[in-house]
Amino acid sequence: MAVSSIRLNNGLMMPQVGLGTWPLKHHDAAPVIVTAIEAGYRHIDTAYRYQNHIGVGQGVRDSGIAREELFITTKLDGEFQGDDKAVAGLDASLRELQMDYVDLLLIHWPLPQRGEYVSTWKTFEHLFASGKTRSIGVSNFKPAHLEHLFSETSVRPVCNQIQLNPRITRPEHVEFGRTHQIVTVAWSPIGQGSDLLQDPTVSAIAEKYGKTTAQVILRWNIELGIVTIPKSANPTRIAQNIDIFDFALTADDVAAITALDTGAESRVDSDVNGH
Ligand code: A2P
């Protein structure tokens, strides 16, 4: 079954399931990328900070797929925030990936205590115009950070990538994104392999559809209209995590999973921490 895509606010299409790549490293990422592309993934999420760009780029070339078939996201590390350092930051990523462009460049963390995300974003606007990235967005931003960005800059982020899973559903973040045409992307969507995958509510729904609990949680992301980037290095689980387009959850299933929310925020408070 075909993987659905979401239209970003600049018209670009983003596949709704991507492969998360943290904590793969340069030396072990390539075969995982090949496996994922063979399993049908066309969206790969990486970051300079993960130190796996060399392997990700190698995997893309090893797969034999045309570059333009893929949607590649990377994230600018904090060391490249401020002034025009994002230019060097994106160049460093492209050099390691051995690519001419990425599809999406994100500010990895807002680091508001440094007060540089607005100037970084202005550089992102130039990078977007240069064609070295086909779209620009943010990660781990709170609505207040986005409001500040809107007041100082002109290009809207296409997405905000945040930690989101059935226990951390962050409804005000998702709603804020919807209001402003900013797609929410969920990182660690299955709770980093925690006991969330044994939750009785999710297990009952999984049994009903003959799917795994991970598949039900990822399908819940699809029903919410958000993008999800589960990480796996295991070929069976890689294939399983994208095999979610042959069933749909009912509104009651979606509500039951959403009700698992604990009200917790991300485990990292992006007003205080980040990289
Ligand atoms: P592995 O790479 O061995 O598959 P998240 O994307 O929420 O951060 O979760 C990633 C973690 O969940 C990894 O430890 C990964 O391990 C594990 N994982 C990924 N997919 C599945 C799955 N379908 N079932 C169980 N565990 C999974």
Side-chain angles (χ1 to χ4, degrees), residues 97-260:
L97 289 162
Q98 290 190 43
M99 291 179 187
D100 301 327
Y101 68 94
V102 290
D103 296 278
L104 175 60
L105 176 67
L106 306 180
I107 297 181
H108 203 154
W109 293 90
L111 304 173
Q113 65 281 17
R114 281 179 33 189
E116 290 170 336
Y117 66 76
V118 168
S119 64
T120 301
W121 188 256
K122 289 180 177 165
T123 307
F124 268 39
E125 294 180 341
H126 294 302
L127 289 169
F128 173 53
S130 79
K132 284 186 177 178
T133 182
R134 297 180 73 209
S135 49
I136 50 178
V138 298
S139 184
N140 301 301
F141 273 46
K142 295 185 181 183
H145 305 140
L146 284 163
E147 296 274 19
H148 183 47
L149 202 61
F150 298 164
S151 69
E152 302 280 332
T153 63
S154 50
V155 178
R156 274 289 141 101
V158 296
C159 77
N160 185 19
Q161 184 183 125
I162 57 173
Q163 185 182 15
L164 188 152
N165 68 55
R167 291 179 178 157
I168 309 177
T169 70
R170 315 186 78 186
E172 71 292 353
H173 287 70
V174 177
E175 192 46 42
F176 183 90
R178 213 165 267 140
T179 305
H180 296 280
Q181 286 82 49
I182 295 171
V183 170
T184 297
V185 179
W187 62 258
S188 285
I190 56 173
Q192 296 181 334
S194 68
D195 65 357
L196 176 62
L197 296 177
Q198 278 85 51
D199 178 89
T201 300
V202 182
S203 299
I205 296 170
E207 203 165 311
K208 185 168 77 168
Y209 295 105
K211 289 286 180 178
T212 68
T213 51
Q215 288 173 316
V216 164
I217 292 170
L218 296 169
R219 182 70 211 186
W220 170 75
N221 289 156
I222 304 302
E223 312 293 0
L224 294 179
I226 69 177
V227 173
T228 190
I229 49 166
K231 176 267 171 184
S232 180
N234 172 285
T236 304
R237 292 191 285 274
I238 288 173
Q240 208 179 80
N241 292 348
I242 203 166
D243 180 20
I244 57 170
F245 294 94
D246 58 352
F247 77 117
L249 300 176
T250 64
D252 285 350
D253 296 330
V254 170
I257 298 169
T258 302
L260 299 175

Side-chain angles (χ1 to χ4, degrees), residues 62-84:
D62 290 351
S63 76
I65 198 162
R67 169 67 186 90
E68 59 270 22
E69 297 291 314
L70 296 173
F71 191 104
I72 309 278
T73 302
T74 190
K75 313 183 193 83
L76 188 88
D77 194 65
E79 72 175 276
F80 295 112
Q81 278 213 45
D83 304 323
D84 270 341

Side-chain angles (χ1 to χ4, degrees), residues 1-8 11-18 40-43 69-71 183 219 222 225-228 242 245:
M1 294 287 259
V3 177
S4 57
S5 291
I6 284 193
R7 186 179 298 278
L8 302 174
L12 206 61
M13 300 302 288
M14 182 183 203
Q16 227 176 332
V17 177
Y41 288 73
R42 294 294 179 268
H43 169 186
E69 297 291 314
L70 296 173
F71 191 104
V183 170
R219 182 70 211 186
I222 304 302
I226 69 177
V227 173
T228 190
I242 203 166
F245 294 94

